Amino acid sequence: QPRLAESGGGSVQAGGSLRLSCEGSEMTYDRYCMAWFRQVPGKERDRVASISINGGSITYADSVKDRFTISRDNAKKMLFLQMDTLQPEDTGVYFCAAGYVPSPFAVGYCPTEFGTWGQGTQVTVSS
């Protein structure tokens, strides 16, 4: 059973930076599109960024473009989210997610549904 474990959350003042990490295990890592989601109380989980199996296709939510950078290291089964110029509205629980890609040749593909989730890490940005 694939497993994901996030780390790197914390509290920071507006304008600061944080780097989230997510370690995968029990999975063929380069067969999964990876993504970061954010959830705030009372709202649905929103996708912040996603990265295809070879890193060739990356998408960002409009709210984080030019501030956040997603990356992956398939050899180490690691996913990262570098968050710069953080704002109070970035506050939330950040989840790492993996979506299986059936074909190893679909290097730019990410599914709409993600079947594997980490436990989440809290990010709090104060003004």
Side-chain angles (χ1 to χ4, degrees):
Q1 188 79 0
R3 290 185 293 180
L4 300 171
E6 303 96 335
S7 61
S11 297
V12 65
Q13 289 192 325
S17 298
L18 283 173
R19 180 177 171 87
L20 304 183
S21 299
C22 172
E23 183 175 12
S25 61
E26 308 299 329
M27 61 194 293
T28 305
Y29 196 76
D30 60 3
R31 293 295 301 276
Y32 288 84
C33 169
M34 301 299 296
W36 289 98
F37 286 74
R38 176 174 65 210
Q39 188 167 29
V40 297
K43 294 190 176 181
E44 291 186 355
R45 210 171 281 187
D46 291 327
R47 190 189 305 193
V48 172
S50 62
I51 184 167
S52 61
I53 58 177
N54 70 345
S57 178
I58 290 175
T59 62
Y60 295 99
D62 288 343
S63 61
V64 307
K65 278 180 182 176
D66 300 323
R67 298 189 299 120
F68 289 12
T69 303
I70 189 172
S71 61
R72 65 189 293 166
D73 184 335
N74 286 349
K76 297 181 179 178
K77 297 186 179 181
M78 293 292 297
L79 177 72
F80 305 99
L81 185 68
Q82 177 66 41
M83 304 186 294
D84 298 318
T85 320
L86 282 160
Q87 301 300 317
E89 52 266 33
D90 295 320
T91 294
V93 178
Y94 283 72
F95 295 88
C96 170
Y100 184 69
V101 179
S103 170
F105 303 105
V107 295
Y109 171 76
C110 276
T112 55
E113 298 292 330
F114 289 76
T116 302
W117 295 84
Q119 80 286 356
T121 185
Q122 177 71 43
V123 171
T124 302
V125 184
S126 57
S127 58

